[in-house]
């Protein structure tokens, strides 16, 4: 059994910030990665996306540079999504990038490029497979309403699909060097989706056996929580937990999986882009609650990050360039921040992230007498501070006393020109 005492998630907790990549033939449809399900497409309807997946502008080194410059320290890429299409040159199927106009294994150069930029390597791998002939039609399948397709189920052998699933995971974990993180997606048994007929969980996937295979092939690899087993990392998505996630069993951390515009796969006509300052706040919010931030990009069918994604990554990168010390290796602080602020902490360095710029002052509870210096992180400039006498009477131009132990920061009227201003408070040892 896996030794849970191993802190094999330490690198992930130190990294805090990663890139999620959803890329496949659904990028040609450009309507998100669930388009086959949502539009109930048959293989015939979907084949044109295979036939027109060219990736002719694909430059994984450019992707890796953008991720590294954004301050991301690991990446997780969809090796296969629910549609069954494989980015790598699998020997177990013809439904792979090698046989599209892209004409090659797209995963290998990506792994090499991201490793060259110093990022850790993660593989997303779908447990579902809407293309495999042995995968039964169920309540999530694109043909879930088609009686003729459902009639094929008796002839479908889930054991054969399980063998294919495990065989492909073996290919991925033996053919691409050290893999640091595997992100399976997803289980929908009675515990997760009781409303879905034909739901599948640990029995269907052979999760116990699959997890043992993963740990045997890649000792120390981090595994997520979607095998219908606890795993190492719990992975909330599309919401920010209100507090630290409850961890069970072998789970030692959590990671928020988020998108730039609500969709994972490239979605051309979706303009619901999050502002850059919101994305930075989500990153910081997670770290303040001891969580990671895995932020997604859905590249185009031609193999590029679209301009909006690039713009957001670069704006985040400008902030991270100056504020990475307030993120990497940081975690929660034992102090309650003022309203609209978050604390992250590392050793005797306390970082105050100011989400909403106040007029003139910020009052920090329980920090009186504990701070030897305060400065803005972005430019290193001093932030003046004072401890107002609790007995002080307010008058026309002077505020009254504050609770004992309160430290008051004196702030410039104008917010510094950064997405989220941060004050570093050096605590007395
Ligand atoms: C959701 C989506 C899936 C995506 C995953 C990423 O499960 O349905 O398409 O890959 O989130 O965490």
């Amino acid at each position: 059994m896996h030794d849970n005492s191993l802190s094999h998630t330490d690198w992930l907790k130190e990294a805090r910030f990663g890139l999620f990549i959803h890329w496949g033939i659904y990028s040609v449809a450009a309507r998100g990665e669930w388009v086959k399900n949502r539009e109930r497409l048959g293989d015939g309807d979907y084949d044109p996306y295979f036939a027109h997946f060219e990736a002719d502008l694909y430059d994984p080194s450019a992707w890796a540079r953008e991720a590294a410059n954004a301050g991301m320290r690991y990446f997780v890429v969809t090796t296969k999504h629910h549609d069954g299409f494989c980015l790598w040159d699998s020997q177990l199927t013809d439904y792979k990038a090698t046989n599209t106009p892209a004409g090659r294994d797209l995963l290998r150069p990506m792994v090499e490029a991201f490793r060259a930029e110093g990022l850790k390597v993660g593989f997303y791998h779908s447990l579902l497979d809407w293309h495999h002939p042995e995968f039964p039609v169920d309540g999530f399948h694109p043909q879930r309403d088609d009686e003729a397709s459902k009639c094929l189920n008796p002839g479908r052998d889930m054991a054969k699909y399980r063998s294919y699933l495990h065989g492909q995971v073996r290919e991925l974990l033996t053919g691409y060097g050290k893999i640091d993180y595997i992100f399976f997606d997803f289980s929908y048994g009675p515990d997760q989706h009781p409303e879905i007929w034909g739901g599948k969980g640990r029995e269907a996937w052979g999760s116990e056996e699959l997890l043992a295979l993963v740990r045997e092939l890649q000792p120390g690899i981090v595994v997520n929580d979607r095998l219908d087993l606890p795993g190492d990392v719990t992975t909330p998505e599309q919401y920010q937990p209100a507090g630290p996630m409850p961890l069970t069993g072998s789970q030692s951390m959590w990671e928020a999986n988020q998108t730039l515009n609500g969709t994972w796969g490239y979605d051309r006509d979706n303009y619901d882009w999050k502002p850059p300052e919101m994305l930075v706040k989500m990153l910081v919010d997670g770290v303040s609650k001891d969580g990671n931030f895995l932020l997604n990009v859905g590249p185009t069918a031609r193999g590029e990050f679209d301009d909006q994604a690039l713009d957001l990554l670069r704006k985040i990168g400008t902030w991270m360039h100056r504020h990475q010390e307030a993120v990497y290796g940081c975690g929660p602080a034992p102090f309650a921040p003022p309203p609209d602020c978050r604390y992250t902490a590392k050793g005797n360095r306390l970082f105050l992230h100011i989400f909403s710029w106040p007029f003139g002052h910020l009052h920090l509870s329980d920090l009186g007498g504990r701070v030897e210096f305060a400065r803005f992180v972005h430019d290193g400039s001093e932030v003046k501070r004072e401890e107002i006498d609790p007995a002080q009477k307010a008058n026309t131009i002077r505020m009254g006393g504050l609770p004992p132990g309160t430290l008051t920061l004196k702030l410039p009227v104008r917010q510094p020109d950064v997405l989220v201003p941060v004050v570093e408070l050096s605590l007395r040892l």
Side-chain angles (χ1 to χ4, degrees):
M1 186 56 191
H2 172 58
D3 175 358
N4 296 329
S5 64
L6 282 179
S7 53
H8 66 294
T9 55
D10 281 358
W11 69 265
L12 187 58
K13 191 166 276 200
E14 168 72 24
R16 288 303 188 197
F17 186 26
L19 174 67
F20 213 164
I21 297 173
H22 277 69
W23 194 37
I25 57 178
Y26 46 77
S27 308
V28 179
R31 303 191 296 277
E33 75 294 349
W34 271 66
V35 61
K36 192 172 187 181
N37 163 287
R38 205 174 41 253
E39 299 180 12
R40 290 168 170 74
L41 302 177
D43 286 346
D45 306 312
Y46 205 72
D47 285 346
Y49 307 139
F50 185 93
H52 294 280
F53 183 67
E54 296 185 1
D56 59 314
L57 298 179
Y58 176 48
D59 177 359
S61 297
W63 292 11
R65 273 193 308 277
E66 293 295 344
N69 291 341
M72 295 161 156
R73 289 202 155 173
Y74 64 104
F75 84 109
V76 178
V77 59
T78 52
T79 58
K80 179 192 85 166
H81 206 268
H82 309 333
D83 62 1
F85 174 74
C86 302
L87 278 186
W88 81 104
D89 187 21
S90 172
Q91 301 312 299
L92 302 180
T93 181
D94 293 333
Y95 204 50
K96 57 186 177 180
T98 326
N99 297 337
T100 68
R104 65 198 188 286
D105 182 318
L106 298 173
L107 183 65
R108 191 172 304 284
M110 194 188 305
V111 168
E112 290 166 357
F114 277 77
R115 263 200 201 113
E117 287 289 344
L119 278 80
K120 296 277 193 179
V121 177
F123 287 166
Y124 165 110
H125 193 70
S126 174
L127 297 164
L128 295 74
D129 193 312
W130 297 329
H131 181 267
H132 195 278
E134 301 296 347
F135 192 85
V137 175
D138 59 25
F140 270 137
H141 196 283
Q143 273 67 63
R144 58 194 176 280
D145 298 333
D146 177 55
E147 292 310 317
S149 298
K150 289 194 275 189
C151 289
L152 298 173
N153 275 352
R156 296 191 172 194
D157 184 347
M158 191 62 188
K160 288 181 181 170
Y161 173 69
R162 210 164 24 244
S163 172
Y164 172 79
L165 170 66
H166 291 210
Q168 285 204 319
V169 169
R170 177 180 291 277
E171 284 187 320
L172 290 167
L173 299 188
T174 54
Y176 294 86
K178 184 176 186 320
I179 307 306
D180 303 287
Y181 184 9
I182 190 160
F183 188 115
F184 288 109
D185 189 38
F186 65 101
S187 293
Y188 47 109
D191 297 344
Q192 295 94 14
H193 284 276
E195 79 284 3
I196 298 297
W197 59 271
K200 294 174 179 64
R202 65 186 71 175
E203 299 307 319
W205 314 130
S207 294
E208 300 276 359
E209 181 192 348
L210 182 56
L211 184 56
L213 174 68
V214 165
R215 299 229 189 264
E216 173 209 334
L217 295 175
Q218 291 278 349
I221 193 170
V222 175
V223 184
N224 78 332
D225 62 335
R226 300 188 183 183
L227 269 173
D228 191 18
L229 296 173
D232 304 316
V233 190
T234 190
T235 52
E237 60 176 68
Q238 305 280 28
Y239 73 94
Q240 283 297 123
M245 287 289 286
L247 302 177
T248 57
S250 58
Q251 290 170 349
S252 60
M253 65 182 291
W254 65 273
E255 170 194 75
N257 301 168
Q258 302 287 13
T259 63
L260 294 175
N261 64 357
T263 309
W264 305 95
Y266 181 58
D267 188 3
R268 181 195 62 214
D269 304 333
N270 176 338
Y271 298 104
D272 195 18
W273 300 100
K274 298 176 178 70
E277 61 274 14
M278 176 181 282
L279 295 164
V280 168
K281 289 174 186 176
M282 291 163 73
L283 164 64
V284 167
D285 177 67
V287 175
S288 76
K289 296 161 183 169
D290 206 17
N292 276 33
F293 188 56
L294 186 62
L295 181 59
N296 181 78
V297 171
T300 68
R302 297 193 66 183
E304 289 190 298
F305 290 0
D306 64 86
D307 292 344
Q308 184 68 38
L310 287 174
D311 177 61
L312 288 169
L313 289 181
R314 289 167 182 171
K315 283 175 177 165
I316 294 168
T318 299
W319 186 87
M320 278 296 288
H321 172 68
R322 296 188 175 118
H323 297 87
Q324 56 187 279
E325 286 301 306
V327 172
Y328 296 147
C330 290
F335 305 102
D340 299 326
C341 294
R342 299 294 187 277
Y343 279 135
T344 61
K346 180 167 49 184
N348 71 321
R349 303 169 75 186
L350 182 61
F351 298 99
L352 173 69
H353 303 257
I354 305 171
F355 283 12
S356 170
W357 192 252
F359 168 60
H361 300 88
L362 266 177
H363 305 297
L364 311 182
S365 303
D366 304 324
L367 283 177
R370 307 179 75 154
V371 174
E372 66 177 1
F373 192 64
R375 63 179 178 176
F376 279 120
V377 171
H378 68 280
D379 65 359
S381 61
E382 182 181 18
V383 173
K384 301 292 281 178
R385 64 195 192 278
E386 62 179 330
E387 294 182 34
I388 298 172
D389 179 354
Q392 179 169 295
K393 298 293 180 211
N395 65 24
T396 314
I397 56 168
R398 188 184 66 179
M399 72 173 74
L402 295 156
T406 302
L407 179 69
T408 296
L409 301 183
K410 299 196 281 189
L411 299 175
V413 173
R414 286 180 59 86
Q415 176 176 325
D417 186 18
V418 292
L419 293 176
V420 175
V422 182
V423 176
E424 178 191 43
L425 304 159
S426 298
L427 301 179
R428 298 186 197 288
L429 292 174

